[in-house]
Amino acid sequence: MKYFFKIIEYGLYLVVFLLPLQTRWIIKAGFNEYQTYSLYGVDILLILVLLLFIVSKMASFTLVTAGEKHPNNRMICWFLGGFLLISGISGLLAANKLLALYKFSWLILGVGLFWLIANVNYEKLKLIYAILAGIFLQAILGIWQFFSQSSFSNKWLGLATHDPAQLGTSVVEFVARDGIGERWLRSYGGLDHPNMLGGILAIGILLLIGQMVARQIFNVKFFKIINWIFLAVFSVALFFSFSRGAWLAVLAGGFFMLTSFVIRRDLKSQKEMLTAILFSSILIGVLFFQYNELVITRLTDNSRLEIKSKVERVASYHEATGMIKKYPITGVGLGNYTLALNRQIPNQESFYYQPTHNVFLLIWAETGVFGLLFFIGLMVYLLAKCFTARNNAVVASLIVLIILMSIDHWLFSLHFGVLFFWLILGIAENEKGKSLKFNNVV
């Protein structure tokens, strides 16, 4: 059985490493991305690992592990079970039940990944660096995209073409000093939007700093070198994503971490973190000197695209609140938001019908008020648990998630976002992942 458990362990590392890979088979193209049915390559791998783990638990006659050893974990089972139940019921009441079932399968896979992270016997250090390595590849691709101002498509890698000259591509648009309008491609990596790349980079930076301040690896030269390379690449790629939400989120998470070290009078951690901040600040300062017009455009909201983005965001909030007033208890059904929006405001272009840019409003609109309450309860419970355990990097990552969910929808509306969200929650829930050489590195 030892080799069987090793397969599960390394299968889990492979899942989290390949998670950003968007390779998929489009089963049925929909009106837009939110109504398209696809089977992702990482889904197949995740299902295999889940099945192997279930078989291993059945062989040892124990399907419940964490809840039995830690009675307090029953609380999270209530929140999880309640959210799944309400989401399932909302699907039964949805206008498009097949679409609701498809989106519910994402939720089941996400909770399955959460369960694996919380229960599989693995080394935390390896898991964190598997996540960071996957993010690193996306960051490298994102940096290349910005400098080349182009991207290539590859169906086997799940990559799409992004041309800054084409409408619909995420760009920074401004009028240069010579009076000529310019459109600069924002870094996507291999993901669906630059805000997604910025979001995972923000969390990656905070998890990385968690490794850099861990006393167990202060004197391990290999990890020091890897950490500084990762930090440099993550910082540069985060800058080129031009994601204001990710910039705000990483600042908030970093501020929390540094404040917690100051309160605990942990001078060594303060020194390591301040060194990392100084290093990133120098890199970003150099980039800002070169591309200051792009940054100012993103922050001042005075260009055509920035004003358009702001107006559309505010409009999406009004649309969501209108839908909530109409269906406050039951919601419109899991995954059915864009369909309901189409009925509410017909005869628009396909790109108009997007989920509201707030996960909490989106969950309320789709699953009703009880779904939202269970979801908030889950987040508050895990935040309090990690805060009590002083898992600073994980608390900071949860803060990043909350900020991103307050201003965007991809963590609940897109396949990668759903799985990545439950991955981070699984890390927050886990308290017993084995560490053979380095312990409590998160």
Side-chain angles (χ1 to χ4, degrees):
M1 291 295 290
K2 181 177 72 172
Y3 296 105
F4 190 74
F5 291 132
K6 279 292 181 184
I7 291 173
I8 296 172
E9 179 187 348
Y10 281 87
L12 181 59
Y13 299 149
L14 186 60
V15 166
V16 300
F17 171 71
L18 295 177
L19 201 60
L21 199 63
Q22 299 295 288
T23 304
R24 62 173 171 167
W25 168 40
I26 298 178
I27 302 170
K28 180 183 177 183
F31 183 60
N32 55 27
E33 176 61 30
Y34 308 103
Q35 298 172 32
T36 295
Y37 298 82
S38 301
L39 176 64
Y40 289 79
V42 73
D43 290 345
I44 299 173
L45 181 58
L46 176 56
I47 291 170
L48 288 175
V49 176
L50 274 168
L51 289 175
L52 288 175
F53 188 61
I54 291 171
V55 169
S56 73
K57 303 313 289 182
M58 291 178 66
S60 59
F61 302 102
T62 163
L63 285 173
V64 180
T65 56
E68 291 176 350
K69 294 182 181 180
H70 305 282
N72 290 336
N73 285 7
R74 293 175 184 172
M75 181 71 72
I76 203 165
C77 292
W78 281 104
F79 288 129
L80 271 177
F83 183 62
L84 286 172
L85 178 63
I86 296 298
S87 298
I89 293 173
S90 76
L92 295 176
L93 301 174
N96 189 329
K97 294 178 177 56
L98 182 61
L99 181 60
L101 178 63
Y102 172 62
K103 297 295 183 177
F104 189 70
S105 71
W106 287 6
L107 184 57
I108 292 296
L109 282 175
V111 173
L113 179 57
F114 171 90
W115 184 54
L116 286 173
I117 298 295
N119 290 284
V120 168
N121 199 22
Y122 57 83
E123 294 183 51
K124 287 185 179 180
L125 190 69
K126 289 181 179 179
L127 182 78
I128 294 300
Y129 275 95
I131 296 170
L132 294 177
I135 296 174
F136 177 78
L137 294 181
Q138 298 299 313
I140 289 291
L141 178 59
I143 293 171
W144 177 84
Q145 287 170 342
F146 180 80
F147 282 122
S148 67
Q149 282 298 293
S150 64
S151 66
F152 60 92
S153 61
N154 187 300
K155 67 177 182 179
W156 301 110
L157 297 177
L159 299 176
T161 301
H162 304 293
D163 183 356
Q166 299 251 337
L167 295 177
T169 302
S170 290
V171 298
V172 181
E173 185 181 80
F174 74 102
V175 178
R177 295 174 184 175
D178 56 8
I180 298 176
E182 297 184 4
R183 289 169 58 90
W184 285 74
L185 180 69
R186 296 169 59 191
S187 294
Y188 280 75
L191 302 173
D192 294 322
H193 196 276
N195 288 344
M196 298 174 69
L197 178 63
I200 67 171
L201 286 167
I203 289 179
I205 287 172
L206 296 174
L207 290 178
L208 182 60
I209 290 176
Q211 311 310 309
M212 298 178 78
V213 302
R215 290 190 176 91
Q216 289 84 353
I217 59 174
F218 272 169
N219 298 318
V220 182
K221 188 174 182 180
F222 171 77
F223 281 105
K224 279 190 172 183
I225 295 172
I226 292 295
N227 286 342
W228 288 113
I229 293 174
F230 275 20
L231 183 60
V233 172
F234 287 5
S235 299
V236 172
L238 178 61
F239 180 88
F240 288 145
S241 73
F242 293 98
S243 173
R244 293 169 296 192
W247 291 349
L248 173 64
V250 76
L251 288 174
F255 178 77
F256 165 80
M257 286 185 69
L258 186 59
T259 301
S260 65
F261 293 142
V262 172
I263 292 173
R264 287 160 49 188
R265 298 181 180 178
D266 188 342
L267 296 179
K268 288 185 177 179
S269 295
Q270 290 178 46
K271 179 183 176 182
E272 288 291 320
M273 186 166 183
L274 287 172
T275 303
I277 291 173
L278 177 62
F279 177 74
S280 291
S281 297
I282 292 173
L283 284 176
I284 292 172
V286 171
L287 294 173
F288 177 78
F289 179 78
Q290 182 68 28
Y291 302 105
N292 60 85
E293 290 178 315
L294 301 180
V295 177
I296 292 171
T297 299
R298 285 294 286 164
L299 295 180
T300 56
D301 284 335
N302 60 3
S303 72
R304 180 188 68 87
L305 280 183
E306 304 308 324
I307 293 173
K308 181 174 180 287
S309 174
K310 185 178 179 180
V311 169
E312 289 177 349
R313 212 170 269 264
V314 173
S316 79
Y317 298 151
H318 289 301
E319 292 163 355
T321 53
M323 208 174 292
I324 288 169
K325 288 178 182 177
K326 217 172 172 185
Y327 307 96
I329 306 299
T330 62
V332 298
L334 189 67
N336 275 241
Y337 182 90
T338 56
L339 285 173
L341 185 61
N342 195 347
R343 293 195 303 270
Q344 184 174 301
I345 309 174
N347 303 321
Q348 301 291 327
E349 295 290 340
S350 60
F351 58 79
Y352 177 86
Y353 300 106
Q354 295 188 33
T356 183
H357 285 72
N358 184 299
V359 167
F360 302 101
L361 288 178
L362 180 58
I363 289 175
W364 192 351
E366 289 193 347
T367 67
V369 66
F370 294 109
L372 176 65
L373 290 176
F374 277 115
F375 183 80
I376 291 175
L378 174 65
M379 293 297 298
V380 170
Y381 170 78
L382 288 175
L383 195 61
K385 178 179 180 179
C386 294
F387 184 80
T388 303
R390 294 185 175 182
N391 289 337
N392 294 322
V394 179
V395 174
S397 298
L398 291 176
I399 290 172
V400 169
L401 284 182
I402 291 170
I403 292 174
L404 294 177
M405 288 190 296
S406 300
I407 57 178
D408 216 326
H409 58 74
W410 61 271
L411 285 161
F412 190 74
S413 63
L414 293 174
H415 176 269
F416 168 75
V418 172
L419 295 186
F420 186 75
F421 170 79
W422 289 104
L423 167 64
I424 301 303
L425 260 60
I427 293 173
E429 167 61 12
N430 181 277
E431 290 289 340
K432 63 178 184 57
K434 71 171 182 176
S435 298
L436 296 179
K437 190 173 181 181
F438 307 110
N439 195 26
N440 299 324
V441 295
V442 183

